[in-house]
Amino acid sequence: QIREAVVQRLSEGPLQGVKVVLTAGPTREAIDPVRFISNRSSGKMGYALAGALRALGAQVTLLSGPTNLPAPPGVTRIEIETAEQLLEQSLAAARIADVFIGAAAVADYRVEAPATEKIKKNEAKMAISLARNPDIIAQVREAYPQLFIVGFAAETEKLEEHALGKLKRKKLDMIAANWVGNGRAFDRDENALSVYWHGGAQELAQADKTRIARELAALIAQRYAAKKS
Amino acid sequence: QIREAVVQRLSEGPLQGVKVVLTAGPTREAIDPVRFISNRSSGKMGYALAGALRALGAQVTLLSGPTNLPAPPGVTRIEIETAEQLLEQSLAAARIADVFIGAAAVADYRVEAPATEKIKKNEAKMAISLARNPDIIAQVREAYPQLFIVGFAAETEKLEEHALGKLKRKKLDMIAANWVGNGRAFDRDENALSVYWHGGAQELAQADKTRIARELAALIAQRYAAKKS
């Protein structure tokens, strides 16, 4: 009852009635039934953002790759494993959404022909052929031109250049960029973000991910309202 | 004080004074600072076995790849990420050990030349060149001919044939084999094992991993005592 009361109160925030679809965590691309390619995303930033958007009143659907995190209270979670599964769920969920946020660290490549049995290690060398995965955020944009779309960029070099390139090329409304590698961001509890939109930018200084998520959620609410007005 | 008393009592079990080195969990092989190759091992079976061996009085050193599991009480844990790190730690720890158990799901291949910056996704197709990783259990056997060594085999086909081949080829004292793939064993709480040694075999029927671990630990204690006598 207390929780219901809280949820009730929360649903009066600036995103009250706004439907948000948010992707989070890594994807896994099978090499064979046992081995896979993945990445160091823990999902913490995406999950924190889902919780922060919920706290502003949004109805949040979280499309999540494999993580060890509990779903934030009041958020609907759908679990996926591969980029292709995430694309399918994203296109379906975004159909009735107002805001789409691509925070998942989607594998850029999948294994071209995954083996159905475990590959035996007979060879000293081996090569895995990879094929480009679908670009989820670009396909969501193409399918839903009116949607307010927020992308993420994780870079090890040229952060601003890569982020601004992605903002324009993919016709995003906003992009949140952060440095990764050498122990930065991935699997950590702290993060710093550079947020860009058409005609504006804001730095969210290094802080724990819960706080950064609250600041980013407020910025999303602000820019979403500005676009609608 | 209660825990100390329990540990005291436990250290009077059949493996009292026996030094065990046990590897567990997956390894991760970097593609670039963000992406890696890994496998579906959760580490649950290895961690449960470490706890069960400790409960029989053994001094257990657990060499663990990335998992989300707490170290079992009374067990010394050393964390590793790659197969090469695991080899180095295994050879160092096994030097003073009586028993070596290779329960880790070691990546058979590593990426030949990991990128130092995040690879940009410019190409529609890509290939990753892989090189065979060191065979840890074979190198431990070569370095320490007297050690009692237990291997694991996870197979999607021809379980007994593959397990017996590995037992002989790698000069193991015992091998524990299980089926994987199609939702079997990996990341589950239950498991079934077929255990083989020279001149014997035993089936450990499907049960939760804690129970299977207790049965396997008892079998290891029995075969270790038989070899010494």
Side-chain angles (χ1 to χ4, degrees), chain A:
Chain A
Q1 277 152 340
I2 289 172
R3 184 155 134 197
E4 268 171 41
V6 172
V7 169
Q8 184 55 38
R9 192 167 61 79
L10 292 178
S11 67
E12 290 158 16
L15 291 176
Q16 198 247 318
V18 177
K19 294 185 180 70
V20 176
V21 174
L22 190 153
T23 72
T27 69
R28 278 183 185 174
E29 309 296 329
I31 298 172
D32 66 20
V34 171
R35 303 171 179 100
F36 58 80
I37 294 176
S38 190
N39 62 63
R40 291 175 194 279
S41 168
S42 64
K44 280 176 191 162
M45 191 63 223
Y47 274 60
L49 185 55
L53 291 161
R54 176 76 196 109
L56 296 183
Q59 292 175 37
V60 182
T61 300
L62 175 61
L63 307 180
S64 176
T67 73
N68 286 281
L69 303 171
V75 164
T76 304
R77 175 166 64 178
I78 298 171
E79 295 179 65
I80 59 86
E81 187 158 306
T82 68
E84 287 179 321
Q85 289 163 2
L86 184 58
L87 173 65
E88 191 184 334
Q89 294 292 339
S90 294
L91 288 171
R95 198 174 54 80
I96 54 158
D98 304 297
V99 176
F100 182 87
I101 303 171
V106 181
D108 299 314
Y109 294 89
R110 69 177 175 280
V111 178
E112 204 161 25
T116 53
E117 299 295 337
K118 188 180 170 191
I119 301 165
K120 302 307 288 182
K121 49 185 175 185
N122 299 318
E123 310 297 330
K125 304 221 168 184
M126 210 178 109
I128 303 180
S129 294
L130 305 177
R132 268 294 291 281
N133 262 329
D135 185 331
I136 292 173
I137 217 163
Q139 290 207 23
V140 169
R141 166 55 78 217
E142 197 176 350
Y144 309 107
Q146 306 308 318
L147 203 56
F148 187 89
I149 301 186
V150 182
F152 275 76
E155 304 293 342
T156 56
E157 51 178 353
K158 298 181 195 160
L159 185 69
E160 183 171 358
E161 183 187 325
H162 284 151
L164 288 174
K166 200 168 172 179
L167 179 73
K168 282 167 201 149
R169 197 170 62 250
K170 301 196 179 180
K171 302 188 188 110
L172 307 179
D173 294 287
M174 185 184 266
I175 192 160
N178 65 310
W179 294 102
V180 293
N182 301 316
R184 289 175 301 202
F186 275 174
D187 231 345
R188 293 302 175 94
D189 291 323
E190 290 217 331
N191 200 4
L193 289 176
S194 302
V195 187
Y196 305 93
W197 57 92
H198 303 283
Q202 190 166 324
E203 295 292 321
L204 305 183
Q206 180 85 15
D208 69 86
K209 286 183 178 175
T210 310
R211 185 178 168 165
I212 288 279
R214 274 203 305 270
E215 294 176 2
L216 181 57
L219 202 51
I220 290 169
Q222 197 185 97
R223 301 308 313 161
Y224 173 70
K227 189 188 180 186
K228 282 200 71 175
S229 68

Side-chain angles (χ1 to χ4, degrees), chain A residues 35 108 112 125 132, chain B residues 35 108 112 121 125-126:
Chain A
R35 303 171 179 100
D108 299 314
E112 204 161 25
K125 304 221 168 184
R132 268 294 291 281
Chain B
R35 304 171 177 103
D108 298 316
E112 206 162 25
K121 48 184 174 184
K125 303 222 169 184
M126 211 179 105

Side-chain angles (χ1 to χ4, degrees), chain B residues 6-23:
Chain B
V6 172
V7 170
Q8 183 56 38
R9 193 167 60 78
L10 293 177
S11 67
E12 289 159 15
L15 290 175
Q16 197 247 319
V18 177
K19 293 185 181 70
V20 176
V21 174
L22 189 153
T23 72

